[in-house]
Amino acid sequence: MRLWRNQFRVGDKWIVRLNEKEIKLVQVLTVKPVRLHELDSTITLLDAGLMPERFRELMLEIYEDHVPSVDDALFVLVALSTIETYAVAPAQ
């Protein structure tokens, strides 16, 4: 779940990084614009492991300085498929 920007397109490939290390190559399968009130617990639990109200609070914490109203902001739900996983040393 990200704030809507016209940067995600079906078919695009992205490198996913964790702690500044490339961990996998993914491809965008679907892109769905949504508003927070449209999300149910299935989506919020899958995305962040949170129930909808706590998820809304998290989005407010992250995006409150980027939009006038988080509740009115347009977000994008992106489904990705892993194409390739890179060897990454286990966290110490």
Side-chain angles (χ1 to χ4, degrees):
M1 182 73 58
R2 297 286 184 263
L3 196 57
W4 174 262
R5 290 182 292 174
N6 199 18
Q7 75 183 81
F8 299 103
R9 298 191 196 309
V10 173
D12 283 356
K13 294 179 182 171
W14 291 79
I15 294 175
V16 177
R17 291 177 178 83
L18 179 62
N19 298 327
E20 301 180 21
K21 294 182 181 177
E22 294 180 357
I23 61 169
K24 64 172 66 178
L25 176 64
V26 298
Q27 185 168 23
V28 177
L29 298 179
T30 64
V31 177
K32 180 181 179 179
V34 295
R35 299 204 190 274
L36 290 182
H37 73 271
E38 298 173 316
L39 301 175
D40 62 17
S41 59
T42 301
I43 297 299
T44 62
L45 285 165
L46 284 170
D47 185 76
L50 301 171
M51 293 302 289
E53 184 54 35
R54 178 62 187 112
F55 184 82
R56 183 196 163 279
E57 291 169 5
L58 176 65
M59 294 297 103
L60 181 60
E61 291 169 21
I62 294 170
Y63 295 111
E64 67 183 336
D65 295 334
H66 302 280
V67 294
S69 167
V70 171
D71 290 317
D72 295 330
L74 189 60
F75 288 85
V76 61
L77 183 60
V78 181
L80 305 168
S81 175
T82 298
I83 296 171
E84 182 179 356
T85 301
Y86 306 130
V88 177
Q92 299 283 330

